[in-house]
Each structure stands twice: as C-alpha cells, then as structure tokens.
Amino acid sequence: MKWFEITEEAKNQMEKLLAKQPDKYAVSLMVEGGGCAGFSYVFNYADGPAQESDIEIDFGKFKVWMDVMSEMYLAGTIISWKV
C-alpha cells in the first residue's frame, strides 16, 4: 500500500539529517490536532516504532514509522523539502 510519497529532495535531506544522528535510522511521522487547518504534522528521529501497532515504511536508506491514527490523514500526501 502507498500511504504517502516523499520527493527525492526530501529523501536526500532526511538522509543527511539522519547521518548526523548515528543512533537513529528512522523518522517518526504523525498527525496531531492543531495548526491552521486543524492538524499539524510532527517529525521526530526514531530508532524504532513508538507503538507496536506503528506502520513501517522503508525508503531504502531510511525508514518512516507512522502511527495508525495518522494513516488516513496522510494517505495521498506528498512530502517535499523547501529551503
């Protein structure tokens, strides 16, 4: 299943950021209430799932862990990186 996409530039930036955190190999991604549209997106470094039910998405050089509650809000999202 394809939950969301990450642009090549965003993948490159995530790889660079994770390279600076040698004890981490993944990113956690979740949607929380708040923000302009009623939601905010939270990224954190991770070394595994926060919950046993978290979903792992492998992007080759890094993984993203997503909580199941955020799944429906992230479906079809494209994550990009802007400087």
Side-chain angles (χ1 to χ4, degrees), residues 2 5-6 10-12 16 20 24 30 37 47 50-51 55 59 63-65 69 72-73 78 81:
K2 190 174 186 180
E5 293 181 42
I6 300 179
K11 287 179 187 177
N12 292 336
K16 288 179 187 177
K20 295 177 184 178
K24 307 295 181 192
M30 61 187 290
D47 53 8
Q51 302 289 324
I55 300 164
F59 286 96
K63 296 179 181 184
V64 174
W65 293 95
M69 295 300 290
M72 69 179 175
Y73 299 106
I78 298 174
W81 189 275

Side-chain angles (χ1 to χ4, degrees), residues 27-78:
V27 175
S28 69
L29 172 60
M30 61 187 290
V31 178
E32 292 183 337
C36 297
F39 298 105
S40 61
Y41 301 90
V42 180
F43 284 90
N44 287 306
Y45 294 109
D47 53 8
Q51 302 289 324
E52 192 173 299
S53 60
D54 284 357
I55 300 164
E56 176 186 301
I57 304 152
D58 192 340
F59 286 96
K61 294 185 179 179
F62 66 93
K63 296 179 181 184
V64 174
W65 293 95
M66 174 179 63
D67 69 305
V68 295
M69 295 300 290
S70 298
E71 181 179 7
M72 69 179 175
Y73 299 106
L74 293 169
T77 299
I78 298 174

